[in-house]
Amino acid sequence: MATTADTSLTFTRMPHPAPLAVEQRAAVLADPGFGRAFTDHMVEIDYTEGKGWHGARVAPYGPIPLDPAAAVLHYAQEIFEGLKAYRGADGGIALFRPEANAQRFNASARRLAMPELPEDLFVEAVRQQVMADKDWFPNVEGGSLYLRPFMFASEAFLGVRPSKEYKFLVIASPAGNYFKSGAPAVSIWVSDYTRAAPGGTGAAKCGGNYAASLVPTAEAFARGHDQVLFLDAAEHKWVEELGGMNLFFVFDDGSILTPELTGTILPGITRSSLLQLASEEGLTVREGRYSLDQWRADAASGKLIEAFACGTAAVVTPVGKVAGNAGEFTIGSGGPGQLTQKLRQKLVGIQRGEIADTHGWVKRIA
């Protein structure tokens, strides 16, 4: 969908009339969890066909008025992103590769027949959100401010066509650890359900993909596992991704493999970053197909020595056990591997300004 957006919009600031009390905020920041609490403000920008993007504002966080006939409620035109803001040891605030999030957001918009948001406007909206609530960084180890930009169709009509009106918003949530089990490595369940099919929306970050994952994820939780693993739709043998994370495999010959992007896998920004960091470590990096049977055999023989999942929320997380209807197997010792820990430490170090950023990934905003 063509966009007649003005990339130089001025943001109107609407301070919150009753922000959360300092004492209450401190209690939240001491134990934020993930996605449970939200900051005082949110960014909003409207889109109208023929007018483009307009009405940029930083407003008090609160309910969104929505007509019962709004297109998003009937035809699921909705996309989102996830990224984090980090506070460094010097007190500065930075974003990690926000331009990459902006690019992926627009790729999702194109797939869902939604208007694209200029990349600089996306980044500025995120910056405005962070600066409005810069006092919301949590006081826990590894804490960050998780940012959720999203867009949905707001036009009121019934008829199968793209909406002519949209709302783009950014909300923020103080974040601690994503996984709650406390285990050194996660356990995953191989689902019989399919996440995405060729020609579908697997490469788009849209809500419908996640809605389809809720039943298999609940099944994994009920069986005592931390996440769900999806295989390909055609043959149900090739490893694709977890419920919301990409996968990597580390072999004893110093090579590393991740499933290739075929249109059914979300192109993760953490995934892309790790591919580059692993290559710089001297590893042979491959993108290709990897079957569940081969995974099981390589784990049994010792050829596969580590496996890990990655994503914005969980960063880098070791995979220790894989289970399914055909049985279960353990990777290595079942705990975090050396390379997994090394890559995580390097990535997190760059994100937090503790390791020099030689890639231009970190965007300092304060």
Side-chain angles (χ1 to χ4, degrees):
M1 176 181 288
T3 303
T4 57
D6 179 359
T7 61
S8 59
L9 293 179
T10 298
F11 284 77
T12 301
R13 178 70 184 271
M14 304 163 60
H16 201 298
L20 193 66
V22 173
E23 297 79 8
Q24 292 175 288
R25 186 177 67 210
V28 171
L29 298 182
D31 183 23
F34 184 85
R36 298 191 319 221
F38 300 93
T39 63
D40 291 318
H41 298 89
M42 62 185 185
V43 167
E44 298 182 75
I45 311 176
D46 298 314
Y47 178 89
T48 306
E49 187 175 281
K51 184 177 181 180
W53 294 102
H54 59 94
R57 57 204 180 273
V58 180
Y61 181 93
I64 305 168
L66 198 62
D67 193 288
V72 65
L73 301 176
H74 303 273
Y75 308 114
Q77 269 191 295
E78 184 272 347
I79 59 173
F80 67 95
E81 271 299 319
L83 67 160
K84 289 178 177 178
Y86 302 89
R87 188 180 287 282
D90 64 354
I93 300 173
L95 302 171
F96 183 73
R97 303 189 68 182
E99 295 85 359
N101 289 97
Q103 292 164 10
R104 189 172 65 180
F105 189 78
N106 282 336
S108 297
R110 291 190 294 271
R111 181 61 183 86
L112 272 291
M114 302 172 78
E116 295 182 41
L117 186 74
E119 291 177 19
D120 59 346
L121 184 54
F122 177 100
V123 174
E124 177 60 17
V126 170
R127 190 191 73 83
Q128 290 277 346
Q129 174 63 51
V130 174
M131 298 312 296
D133 290 319
K134 60 182 182 297
D135 294 331
W136 278 83
F137 281 85
N139 306 318
V140 296
E141 182 179 357
S144 60
L145 196 59
Y146 181 80
L147 303 163
R148 172 55 60 87
F150 62 102
M151 174 167 56
F152 65 89
S154 56
E155 183 188 1
F157 75 99
L158 297 180
V160 184
R161 62 162 174 80
S163 175
K164 297 180 180 180
E165 298 174 2
Y166 297 86
K167 283 187 176 293
F168 170 81
L169 295 94
V170 185
I171 57 176
S173 175
N177 289 326
Y178 183 75
F179 289 109
K180 303 175 180 63
S181 66
V186 296
S187 172
I188 60 179
W189 173 259
V190 181
S191 179
D192 290 328
Y193 288 91
T194 296
R195 175 189 174 272
T201 60
K205 200 166 178 65
C206 59
N209 290 345
Y210 294 81
S213 74
L214 295 179
V215 166
T217 299
E219 181 182 68
F221 291 168
R223 294 175 179 270
H225 302 284
D226 302 293
Q227 256 292 353
V228 62
L229 169 69
F230 292 107
L231 303 177
D232 72 292
E235 299 179 76
H236 207 66
K237 64 180 287 187
W238 303 105
V239 174
E240 293 213 323
E241 64 178 80
L242 300 189
M245 291 177 285
N246 298 120
L247 275 167
F248 278 82
F249 307 96
V250 182
F251 299 94
D252 60 0
D253 63 357
S255 66
I256 186 169
L257 169 70
T258 189
E260 61 186 332
L261 301 178
T262 59
T264 58
I265 295 174
L266 186 72
I269 293 163
T270 306
R271 173 189 183 275
S272 171
S273 304
L274 289 170
L275 282 171
Q276 190 161 342
L277 293 178
S279 179
E280 292 168 2
E281 289 292 328
L283 297 169
T284 300
V285 178
R286 295 179 289 133
E287 297 179 68
R289 297 204 297 179
Y290 194 54
S291 71
L292 178 63
D293 288 342
Q294 191 64 53
W295 187 359
R296 180 183 290 105
D298 288 346
S301 69
K303 180 180 178 181
L304 178 78
I305 57 176
E306 300 177 41
F308 61 86
C310 67
T312 297
V315 193
V316 177
T317 301
V319 175
K321 184 171 71 174
V322 181
N325 291 323
E328 65 179 55
F329 59 92
T330 300
I331 298 97
S333 64
Q338 291 183 354
L339 182 62
T340 300
Q341 295 182 79
K342 185 175 183 179
L343 288 174
R344 177 187 171 89
Q345 289 169 359
K346 188 165 186 179
L347 179 62
V348 171
I350 293 171
Q351 290 173 334
R352 297 187 177 278
E354 298 163 357
I355 295 177
D357 173 26
T358 61
H359 308 88
W361 287 343
V362 175
K363 184 178 181 65
R364 183 78 176 250
I365 60 174

